[in-house]
Every structure is written in structure tokens, then in C-alpha cells.
Amino acid sequence: MSGKPSSFSLSRRQALGLIAVTAGGGAFLPASAMAAQSSAAQASPYAGLALFENGAGVCTITPEVTEGPFYFDPKLERADVTDGKKGIALDVRLQVVDVDCRPLAGARVDIWHCDAQGAYSGYPGQGDGRDVDTSGQTFLRGWQKTDASGIVSFATIYPGWYRGRTTHIHFKVFPDDRSVMTGQLFFPDSLSEQIFTSVAPYNDRPGKRDTSNADDGIARRAGSQSQAALRELEDAYQALMIVAVKSG
């Protein structure tokens, strides 16, 4: 996969928030939050984490947004969804919790997103010229079930862009057999711009990205809770987000 830009660094706010993430990949929420005893002051301060309301250990439900036109179930339970696609390595880590901030084990989580050239797998009419047919392909799609801490981790690449939308990853969470939550995860515009203009294969295409987070109606409706917290690893980025859902 292509190397990542070396100049990107976490903001102080994000860096402080990442203290809540264990080096070994453990729970995002502090233990007190998982026991539904956290106060607002104990909530993790970085963008993308669920917020606590009224000091009562109640997690704000993650906003639902449109599924979009390119979802299908590839029936692939897998952690690595790259299928050989080139791009900057990205580890997507989502923690699913309920309204009381308790991790939900065994919840199914699907993700899907476009490649560096803005194409989704499984559909005709992809690419800048709408002339790429990816029917039958399953790149950058897959699902897993959350572990005992409510966490799933997907190995993928940093998503590209396509006209009319800011950079994003789609996800679905099935807390149980009776419910589903559909959302999108968004990225810092500054990082996206740096990648798209300076790193192959993202910059091997004509034209420039036409939509930022502020210009994207779906991103605006989703708000700060759907903004990923970005952590810079040695050879990849890590996108972190807590998804608070209703179940039952």
C-alpha cells in the first residue's frame, strides 16, 4: 500500500482523547463509563466519541444517515477488506455501545466505501467517467461481530472521493436480530486534501475533490459524533469512533 504523508499530526484535543484508548487495542471508554457510572467530565474529549448527557452515564445516540445507493451484503465475514486495492493503510476501529454506555458484544458491523479512484465494488457506472463496471467484485466491503468490549477492527485503505460527497465510510450496526442502525464516518478535510493531492494512486486522476465536510449535507446532519478521531501509526492511520445505538 502507498505510504502515508509524514506531516499529519493529531491536534492536542485528539491526542489527549486518545489517552482513553489502550495501547493494546482495548476499550475506548473508561472502565467507569462501561459500568454506566461516568460523569460528563469523564467522557473522552476527542471528536468521534459518544458524549455523555446530564452526568448520568447516558450515551448520546449516534445520528443515523442515509444508506446510499451502493450497499449490498457480500456475505464476507472478514477483518481485511482491501482485496488488493492500493492506498494508504487504514485501521477502522468502532466500538458499539448501548444508551447506558455498555459495550455490545456480538453485534454485527458492516462497512463499505469507495476506493482511491472513487469507485464502489459491485456496481456499474463507477469512476469519474461513470464508465467503470465493478459488478461481481467485493473490494472494501465486509462485516464482523463485536468482541467482548464491543469493538471491531477492519484493515482497509483511506477512502477516496467522488463528485458531490465528502470523504466517508459507510457502516451498519445490527445490535440484535430486530434492529439496525445506519451511519457514516467522516475524516478531517485537511488530511484528505493532503492525501488526494500528494499521494498515489489518489492523485492519479483528473479533477479535484468538489465537496468538503462543510459542504456535504449528510456530514452536516451527522455532526461531530460521526467525525473519526485519527491516530497516526508507524505505517498506517487508525480511525476511531464510538457508535451508540438503541437495541431491542
Side-chain angles (χ1 to χ4, degrees):
M1 293 183 186
S2 301
K4 61 185 178 62
S6 58
S7 60
F8 175 75
S9 61
L10 294 172
S11 68
R12 182 173 181 273
R13 175 182 173 87
Q14 289 173 319
L16 288 172
L18 285 168
I19 294 171
V21 184
T22 66
F28 298 177
L29 290 174
S32 56
M34 283 198 260
Q37 296 174 346
S38 176
S39 69
Q42 290 171 307
S44 179
Y46 73 92
L49 282 188
L51 302 177
F52 294 88
E53 294 179 335
N54 304 320
V58 177
C59 278
T60 304
I61 297 299
T62 304
E64 289 205 59
V65 296
T66 180
E67 176 183 291
F70 299 123
Y71 173 74
F72 72 91
D73 179 4
K75 305 189 185 304
L76 290 173
E77 183 178 5
R78 58 183 183 174
D80 189 334
V81 302
T82 54
D83 272 0
K85 281 291 178 179
K86 302 299 183 182
I88 291 177
L90 179 70
D91 175 36
V92 176
R93 292 176 60 81
L94 305 178
Q95 184 179 34
V96 181
V97 301
D98 65 14
V99 293
D100 295 318
C101 305
R102 295 174 298 201
L104 293 179
R108 172 174 162 164
V109 179
D110 292 45
I111 71 165
W112 69 102
H113 64 87
C114 70
D115 66 8
Q117 302 298 313
Y120 284 89
S121 62
Y123 287 89
Q126 300 297 303
D128 292 330
R130 305 293 177 93
D131 55 355
V132 177
D133 188 348
T134 62
S135 299
Q137 300 181 52
T138 57
F139 58 82
L140 308 179
R141 297 179 184 271
W143 65 270
Q144 293 184 75
K145 289 194 174 181
T146 56
D147 65 14
S149 296
I151 294 173
V152 292
S153 179
F154 292 94
T156 186
I157 61 169
Y158 198 91
W161 61 272
Y162 52 96
R163 294 189 184 96
R165 289 301 318 276
T166 193
T167 306
H168 62 281
I169 290 179
H170 297 264
F171 64 86
K172 280 181 178 287
V173 177
F174 300 83
D176 50 52
D177 294 335
R178 302 177 302 279
S179 52
V180 59
M181 180 269 178
T182 303
Q184 294 181 23
L185 178 154
F186 300 95
F187 296 85
D189 277 326
S190 57
L191 177 59
S192 295
E193 190 66 21
Q194 184 180 4
I195 289 171
F196 299 156
T197 58
S198 64
V199 180
Y202 300 92
N203 61 355
D204 294 338
R205 58 188 296 194
K208 292 184 62 177
R209 185 173 67 130
D210 64 356
T211 307
S212 66
N213 291 341
D215 298 326
D216 189 300
I218 295 172
R220 290 199 304 271
R221 288 194 297 274
S224 62
Q225 284 177 259
S226 295
Q227 293 290 324
L230 266 291
R231 183 182 191 182
E232 191 170 8
L233 306 179
E234 183 177 352
D235 57 357
Y237 288 112
Q238 189 175 64
L240 308 160
M241 196 171 88
I242 285 179
V243 183
V245 300
K246 293 179 181 179
S247 60

